[in-house]
Amino acid sequence: MSDPGFEHVYRAASDPAAPTLLLLHGTGGNEHDLIPLADAIAPAAGVLSPRGKVLEGHMPRFFRRLAEGVFDLDDLRVRTQELGDFVEASAARYGFDATRVVAVGFSNGANIAASLLLLAPGVLSGAILFRAMVPIVPDALPSLPGKRILMSNGRTDPLIPAAQAELLADLFRRCRADVTLEWQPGGHNLTKRDVELATRFLAAP
Ligand code: MLT
């Protein structure tokens, strides 16, 4: 498999027992955005943090959208595969365990992480999805038995309707994933409670 070559940051885990976190930024972000979050929630974990390759104006994203919340599904399928290939190529290149990669995604990054779980279910061993919505409903649902997924959404998020988060959690449940959906009183931005939830999720065996 070829390496699709994302601009990225990689940092090896300082504890061999810790997973590698696949950090996936939101629209307009870059590969550096979520490093402080990773340091806060799992300082000993490895970090693989690519920059989305799709530009909306000057804003990097992980896949194209036609409008706010309306996704280009053909592009999403291609970009999801490409990101999955990048994770596998990076594991070979850097020597981390490809079976222990946990996505930490925010907004557009959470949406492509959800797409990875649904379309390329072997890539992630678990995921933390902040402010995600349904990216795509696959024709055939994957089997994700016991795969741990933490979703955290804002009750008053103007970008992600609450029903979207509930639909995504239901979709994961139908795939037999072990999903927890947590609700925050706030909107789209991350809060201290999001950080606490993610820290606890990653500390659990
Ligand atoms: C998306 O485009 O993935 C969602 O609308 C979230 C975002 O604004 O990035």
Side-chain angles (χ1 to χ4, degrees), residues 26-27 61 63 65 68-69 71 107-108 111 133 159-160 188:
T27 301
R61 289 174 52 83
F63 56 90
R65 64 179 165 184
E68 179 66 54
F71 303 142
S107 192
N108 180 246
N111 291 342
M133 59 194 291
L159 299 177
I160 316 284
H188 202 62

Side-chain angles (χ1 to χ4, degrees), residues 87-171:
V87 173
E88 287 179 20
S90 298
R93 172 175 174 188
Y94 295 119
F96 63 81
D97 182 353
T99 67
R100 297 181 56 245
V101 176
V102 177
V104 180
F106 170 66
S107 192
N108 180 246
N111 291 342
I112 195 141
S115 183
L116 267 177
L117 288 162
L118 294 168
L119 299 181
V123 175
L124 299 175
S125 61
I128 298 173
L129 308 178
F130 293 116
R131 314 303 187 259
M133 59 194 291
V134 178
I136 190 167
V137 179
D139 296 334
L141 289 188
S143 182
L144 304 170
K147 208 169 284 253
R148 292 178 67 235
I149 302 170
L150 170 65
M151 293 179 58
S152 181
N153 280 62
R155 278 275 177 222
T156 60
D157 190 333
L159 299 177
I160 316 284
Q164 274 290 320
E166 299 283 5
L167 279 173
L168 182 58
D170 280 349
L171 197 55

